[in-house]
């Protein structure tokens, strides 16, 4: 089994809006990866849909880039609705 | 515990002030409760210790399938059989989460499994005891999984991200294991005289090995200080052992089963139970490889691995063939 690649597993639960990463596993091909993911990650009704992606195909941001990537959003409080004070008496907004 | 006496390769614990550069920054992050992730810098000794600890834990999960697997075909009812199958399947899953966590440290699962099969890697001492009667399946769920939960809940907060997250998943499933074991014991304890004897006999045989699972006493655990500083061990062996005893004794009382320890006493001042002397010679013998089932367990693992070789080869060949077909545009 020397060459079985690593796969990342994403599951959407029945009430979930999006697929969520749950873990990884090894499998020879995509079909086996889905079968294994079903056995390992959905034994207790955790999901209604499975995605598997080869780990090698995922591009990720690096931990060192945290500041340049995410700091700019911190100062933009006006992007949140609660930033704006409503005058008394306004309803349904 | 599931990982016992993990060697840190460190002779003496250095204080944060004695560290410098990357190592100091690393220790400060751990002290501040920041999780270490696979891409982060970490000392070699931390990486190696974690590989030992996580792989030992993973090996324990899959070797732990063997004593219970022994009773799947002989479970007393269809419900008990289905439940035991589900539990043993969970253990396989736990092994997989843990091997995956170990792999994030740059080792390969095949190498870890080879180390187990060559006898170079350890697994928990507890799985080297035989399951002689159906009551043993009850005792394992109640005591062994109960002890495992006590050890694993703190590990959900350990410093290494992938290990902590694997523990969260494991703990969610483990509580079913403990309850189904206690349920087996309850039915036997409330059954016929022969069933009660069977339950008591299982408790007699599993109690001390379960107490020993937490590892040597604090005075003899040489590697604990470094593991504690790295936050990959959050409580001492004796602390966890005491917690297990205090939790389990009242559960035995409720079933009217007797803990096989004539020196067991409630200590009003400590608000804890005092116990008799633990036979550490037995523990060290089992860890050394001289327990009742060490050879049988390893032989069963190697045999399963060898007999599954053709399946692994076939799957790899099939994957290779379909990849070539896709590349050359051929269809079936």
């Amino acid at each position: 089994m020397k060459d079985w690649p690593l796969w990342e597993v994403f599951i959407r639960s029945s009430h979930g809006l999006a697929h969520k990463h749950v873990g990884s596993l090894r499998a020879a091909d995509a079909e086996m990866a889905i079968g294994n993911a079903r056995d390992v990650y959905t034994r207790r009704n955790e999901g209604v849909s499975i995605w598997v992606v080869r780990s090698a195909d995922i591009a990720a941001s690096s931990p060192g880039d945290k500041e340049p990537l995410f700091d700019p959003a911190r100062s933009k409080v006006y992007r949140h609705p609660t930033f704006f004070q409503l005058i008394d008496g306004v309803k349904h907004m | 515990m599931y990982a016992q006496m993990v060697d840190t390769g460190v002779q003496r614990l250095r204080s944060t002030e004695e560290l410098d550069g990357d190592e100091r920054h690393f220790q400060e992050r751990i002290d501040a409760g920041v999780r270490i992730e696979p891409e982060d810098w970490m000392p070699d000794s931390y990486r190696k210790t974690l590989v030992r600890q996580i792989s030992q834990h993973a090996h324990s999960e899959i070797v732990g399938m063997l004593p219970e697997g022994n009773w799947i075909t002989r479970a007393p009812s269809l419900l008990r059989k289905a439940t035991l199958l589900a539990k043993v399947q969970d253990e396989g899953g736990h092994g997989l989460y843990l091997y995956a966590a170990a792999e994030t440290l740059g080792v390969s699962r095949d190498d870890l499994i080879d180390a187990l099969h060559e006898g170079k890697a350890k697994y928990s001492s507890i799985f080297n005891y035989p399951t002689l009667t159906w009551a043993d399946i009850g005792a394992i769920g109640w005591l062994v999984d109960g002890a495992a939960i006590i050890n694993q809940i703190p590990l959900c907060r350990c410093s290494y991200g992938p290990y902590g997250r694997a523990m969260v998943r494991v703990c969610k499933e483990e509580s079913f294991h403990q309850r189904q074991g206690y349920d087996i014991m309850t039915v036997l304890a409330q059954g016929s005289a022969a069933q009660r004897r069977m339950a008591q006999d299982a408790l007699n045989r599993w109690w001390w090995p379960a107490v020993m699972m937490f590892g040597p006493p604090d005075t003899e655990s040489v590697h604990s200080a470094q593991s504690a500083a790295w936050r990959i061990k959050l409580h001492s062996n004796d602390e966890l052992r005491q917690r297990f005893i205090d939790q389990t004794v009242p559960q035995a009382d409720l079933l009217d089963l007797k803990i096989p320890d004539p020196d067991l006493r409630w200590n009003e001042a400590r608000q804890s139970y005092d116990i008799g002397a633990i036979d550490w010679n037995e523990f060290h013998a089992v860890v050394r490889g001289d327990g009742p089932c060490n050879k049988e367990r390893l032989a069963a693992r190697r045999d399963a691995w060898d007999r599954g070789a053709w399946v692994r080869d076939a799957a790899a060949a099939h994957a290779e063939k379909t990849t070539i077909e896709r590349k050359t545009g051929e269809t079936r």
Side-chain angles (χ1 to χ4, degrees):
Chain A
M1 117 170 173
K2 284 290 176 208
D3 295 308
W4 285 14
L6 195 61
W7 301 76
E8 299 303 322
V9 181
F10 300 81
I11 305 277
R12 181 161 56 77
S13 68
S14 53
H15 303 292
L17 294 174
H19 286 73
K20 205 176 145 199
H21 183 245
V22 293
S24 52
L25 49 78
R26 291 203 173 262
D29 56 22
E31 191 185 346
M32 186 196 271
I34 289 177
N36 288 355
R38 169 204 173 269
D39 288 347
V40 176
Y41 294 109
T42 65
R43 287 198 304 281
R44 291 181 175 80
N45 305 317
E46 287 93 339
V48 292
S49 170
I50 300 173
W51 286 354
V52 291
V53 183
R54 273 181 192 245
S55 309
D57 290 339
I58 290 182
S61 65
S62 110
D65 289 342
K66 214 166 81 185
E67 284 166 20
L69 285 178
F70 306 115
D71 273 6
R74 290 165 66 129
S75 56
K76 297 177 177 58
V77 282
Y78 47 82
R79 284 180 170 166
H80 299 278
T82 46
F83 175 75
F84 301 92
Q85 293 283 328
L86 293 180
I87 53 170
D88 287 347
V90 178
K91 287 179 180 163
H92 307 299
M93 187 182 283
Chain B
M1 204 50 238
Y2 272 27
Q4 295 159 329
M5 308 202 300
V6 177
D7 186 356
T8 57
V10 170
Q11 301 303 320
R12 183 182 70 88
L13 176 64
R14 290 171 299 161
S15 67
T16 310
E17 289 70 42
E18 292 173 81
L19 305 173
D20 47 25
D22 285 341
E23 210 171 344
R24 179 164 189 156
H25 177 65
F26 172 83
Q27 188 61 49
E28 283 166 352
R29 284 187 63 185
I30 289 186
D31 294 344
V34 179
R35 278 249 164 113
I36 307 301
E37 296 296 337
E39 305 292 309
D40 295 334
W41 185 89
M42 60 186 87
D44 246 12
S45 45
Y46 175 84
R47 186 185 296 274
K48 282 190 188 140
T49 303
L50 267 179
V51 168
R52 275 193 210 105
Q53 180 169 339
I54 301 174
S55 64
Q56 209 186 109
H57 199 154
H59 298 330
S60 298
E61 297 286 354
I62 61 166
V63 175
M65 297 166 81
L66 299 171
E68 293 184 295
N70 187 34
W71 281 90
I72 289 174
T73 53
R74 287 175 283 165
S77 72
L78 198 53
L79 176 62
R80 292 293 191 200
K81 187 199 286 264
T83 306
L84 186 55
L85 262 175
K87 178 180 191 288
V88 173
Q89 194 185 20
D90 277 355
E91 311 294 4
H94 296 176
L96 191 142
Y97 308 150
L98 286 158
Y99 283 123
E103 282 191 293
T104 63
L105 292 159
V107 288
S108 92
R109 186 170 71 172
D110 282 4
D111 290 345
L112 297 176
I113 289 176
D114 283 348
L116 170 68
H117 292 170
E118 286 162 18
K120 288 189 220 149
K122 281 186 290 197
Y123 56 87
S124 176
S125 55
I126 195 77
F127 301 116
N128 291 311
Y129 290 87
T131 42
L132 303 179
T133 73
W134 171 248
D136 289 21
I137 300 306
I140 288 180
W142 173 33
L143 303 174
V144 176
D145 290 275
I149 292 172
I150 286 175
N151 177 259
Q152 288 167 343
I153 286 181
L155 284 177
C156 295
R157 296 179 285 112
C158 76
S159 65
Y160 189 56
Y163 191 29
R165 290 189 287 273
M167 281 298 106
V168 171
R169 297 190 61 85
V170 168
C171 286
K172 271 188 195 161
E173 300 179 350
E174 206 81 74
S175 130
F176 142 65
H177 298 176
Q178 192 190 15
R179 283 196 186 198
Q180 66 86 37
Y182 193 67
D183 186 63
I184 291 172
M185 291 305 266
T186 306
V187 169
L188 293 174
Q190 294 170 352
S192 67
Q195 285 175 314
R196 285 196 55 79
R197 274 199 303 277
M198 203 171 154
Q200 183 62 56
D201 168 63
L203 175 57
N204 291 349
R205 284 181 293 106
W206 288 94
W207 173 253
W208 288 109
V211 168
M212 290 179 207
M213 276 176 75
F214 296 91
D218 295 352
T219 47
E220 287 170 35
S221 6
V222 275
H223 301 290
S224 292
Q226 180 62 70
S227 293
W230 282 333
R231 289 184 63 81
I232 51 178
K233 181 171 183 143
L234 290 99
H235 301 283
S236 79
N237 294 351
D238 286 335
E239 256 176 85
L240 293 172
R241 185 171 10 251
Q242 186 70 57
R243 204 176 286 180
F244 169 73
I245 290 161
D246 291 345
Q247 159 185 311
T248 309
V249 172
Q251 295 168 353
D253 290 345
L254 279 171
L255 299 183
D256 225 358
L257 293 174
K258 196 169 156 29
I259 302 281
D261 178 358
D263 298 322
L264 183 79
R265 300 267 184 288
W266 174 250
N267 183 325
E268 189 60 35
R270 285 203 309 126
Q271 288 291 301
S272 264
Y273 286 93
D274 292 336
I275 65 164
I278 299 173
D279 179 4
W280 290 112
N281 290 332
E282 175 181 326
F283 172 78
H284 289 295
V286 176
V287 170
R288 227 179 19 242
D290 297 328
C293 298
N294 295 56
K295 289 178 185 71
E296 187 186 328
R297 298 289 183 245
L298 262 193
R301 275 296 320 158
R302 287 195 200 110
D303 190 40
W305 184 254
D306 293 343
R307 284 200 290 178
W310 71 271
V311 180
R312 298 192 296 276
D313 291 345
H318 177 73
E320 195 182 347
K321 188 181 118 204
T322 46
T323 310
I324 292 168
E325 280 173 1
R326 245 200 333 271
K327 276 189 187 147
T328 56
E330 279 175 35
T331 46
R332 273 158 283 187

